Amino acid sequence: MLTAGTRLAIAVVATLMLLGGLGAIAIGGSFGVSGLWLVIAGVVALVALAVERNRYRSEAAETSFEAAGPGGGEPTRELEPRFQSTAETFVDPTTNTTMRVFVDGRTGERRYVADA
């Protein structure tokens, strides 16, 4: 899981690579091939940032940039009362943390919290 600062740094470097590569392609000649590789690397990094997400986190937790809770789940704070604990648990294969599923019965929205 990447921190907000790391994501920003990667985004800045990838954007500079993309722009520099496009500039090199525009110059042409032997710079064109190098520029192509810079564009490809920059695009791959930006796509990876867009796809990479912290596992088992709600959109609200993801956009608030709060630190992930144990097992990559929701931050260690109480969930809204609309979320009810279920009997469903699973073990996160990366951290070996047992995660409990909470569900909003009205919307079906799910949240994942490390089981105490």
Side-chain angles (χ1 to χ4, degrees):
M1 289 179 267
L2 300 175
T3 65
T6 303
R7 285 182 184 170
L8 180 61
I10 292 171
V12 167
V13 170
T15 301
L16 291 174
M17 289 173 65
L18 180 62
L19 294 174
L22 290 173
I25 290 171
I27 292 172
S30 62
F31 292 111
V33 175
S34 299
L36 179 62
W37 285 109
L38 281 173
V39 168
I40 291 171
V43 167
V44 167
L46 290 172
V47 168
L49 281 177
V51 171
E52 188 272 336
R53 292 186 48 131
N54 293 319
R55 295 190 322 246
Y56 315 126
R57 287 172 50 101
S58 64
E59 188 67 29
E62 192 67 26
T63 57
S64 71
F65 296 110
E66 292 180 74
E74 293 295 310
T76 51
R77 59 174 164 73
E78 288 195 32
L79 293 175
E80 299 167 46
R82 64 187 172 109
F83 290 97
Q84 301 300 314
S85 177
T86 67
E88 183 181 353
T89 62
F90 64 95
V91 176
D92 172 45
T94 305
T95 62
N96 290 323
T97 301
T98 301
M99 304 296 288
R100 176 156 310 274
V101 179
F102 288 77
V103 176
D104 178 346
R106 190 173 51 81
T107 65
E109 184 178 353
R110 298 163 64 92
R111 299 284 171 94
Y112 306 96
V113 178
D115 205 18

